[in-house]
Amino acid sequence: MLIVSQNMTNYDVSLPQDTILRINLAWINDLETLENILKAKSKQNIFIDLPKNRTKPPNNRYSMNEIKPILESYSNIKYFALSNVDSAEYLAEYMTYVPKNITVVPKIESYLGIKNIEEISKLLGDEKVVMLDHDDLYSSMLKKNDDPKNFQVYIQQLIDFCNKNDVILLRTVGVMFADTEKRVSEYVK
């Protein structure tokens, strides 16, 4: 599974046909812009990423009541990620808003999420997918004065669980930088 920022399509980059485009709602300034992107990318499978409890900028916030009609209206939305999932109870609050044809992807960003991964994964449908945010995991460890040496231990625990339980684990592989970007906060066309 290859998921890339929808911004990759703004450049002359050849992507495999089955590439999934990720739209991070933190960077979407209004839902009309989101819908314009979904229409423009109607032939692409889409991965929507809803940041919840995000503290770093940008910090656009949308409620599930605002998002639900969009999830129901666009058949190209295949995945819906939710940030900062630390427990099954937290994830359960959002599951009822997401149509059954969309795979819910909890983003694991703390040791608590790793510790509770078994309960979290039990809420997922047939296609079990979780996403690890390495940077946020490390930041949460620092905030809790956790020994940085545990970072790799925690990641290995998550990898081992996912491998043993047929859960797809999405991890960051590189980042794209460009000197052509001129906009300050809205990185979408």
Side-chain angles (χ1 to χ4, degrees):
M1 181 181 303
L2 179 62
I3 302 170
V4 302
S5 167
Q6 86 280 355
N7 295 309
M8 288 288 289
T9 63
N10 296 338
Y11 298 90
D12 187 23
V13 175
S14 179
L15 297 171
Q17 185 68 27
D18 59 349
T19 300
I20 300 164
L21 299 181
R22 175 179 177 249
I23 301 173
N24 185 343
L25 294 180
W27 293 95
I28 302 295
N29 289 335
D30 58 67
L31 293 178
E32 182 180 339
T33 300
L34 172 61
E35 292 199 68
N36 289 338
I37 294 168
L38 291 168
K39 289 174 189 169
K41 307 297 182 190
S42 64
K43 303 243 186 286
Q44 293 278 169
N45 287 337
I46 302 291
F47 183 107
I48 300 283
D49 193 336
L50 178 65
K52 285 303 214 179
N53 303 318
R54 182 181 171 107
T55 56
K56 61 187 175 188
N59 202 358
N60 293 316
R61 297 172 192 259
Y62 301 104
S63 73
M64 288 306 297
N65 285 327
E66 293 174 298
I67 299 293
K68 184 178 180 180
I70 295 171
L71 296 177
E72 293 171 339
S73 298
Y74 293 90
S75 61
N76 55 330
I77 301 173
K78 302 299 182 189
Y79 299 91
F80 181 79
L82 181 66
S83 297
N84 297 300
V85 176
D86 288 337
S87 69
E89 294 80 20
Y90 177 80
L91 181 60
E93 290 177 37
Y94 295 91
M95 297 292 287
T96 58
Y97 290 96
V98 182
K100 299 293 182 212
N101 62 311
I102 297 175
T103 300
V104 174
V105 180
K107 287 179 69 178
I108 306 301
E109 304 181 55
S110 71
Y111 175 67
L112 191 55
I114 294 170
K115 182 177 154 191
N116 294 325
I117 191 61
E118 184 172 355
E119 292 77 28
I120 291 167
S121 68
K122 286 178 183 176
L123 290 181
L124 304 177
D126 293 335
E127 185 179 12
K128 295 184 183 307
V129 181
V130 298
M131 180 182 250
L132 171 63
D133 189 318
H134 298 87
D135 293 340
D136 287 345
L137 170 62
Y138 193 76
S139 294
S140 74
M141 290 175 61
L142 292 178
K143 287 178 189 173
K144 297 199 180 295
N145 294 317
D146 195 344
D147 187 341
K149 293 177 187 169
N150 289 330
F151 181 68
Q152 291 182 337
V153 173
Y154 296 159
I155 292 173
Q156 192 61 57
Q157 287 175 353
L158 184 60
I159 291 169
D160 291 345
F161 174 84
C162 291
N163 286 341
K164 289 177 187 167
N165 293 281
D166 295 319
V167 177
I168 296 169
L169 177 60
L170 301 174
R171 298 171 62 186
T172 306
V173 181
V175 177
M176 184 179 96
F177 292 87
D179 67 349
T180 58
E181 184 56 53
K182 303 301 180 214
R183 294 166 287 181
V184 175
S185 67
E186 189 175 335
Y187 285 75
V188 295
K189 283 188 177 179

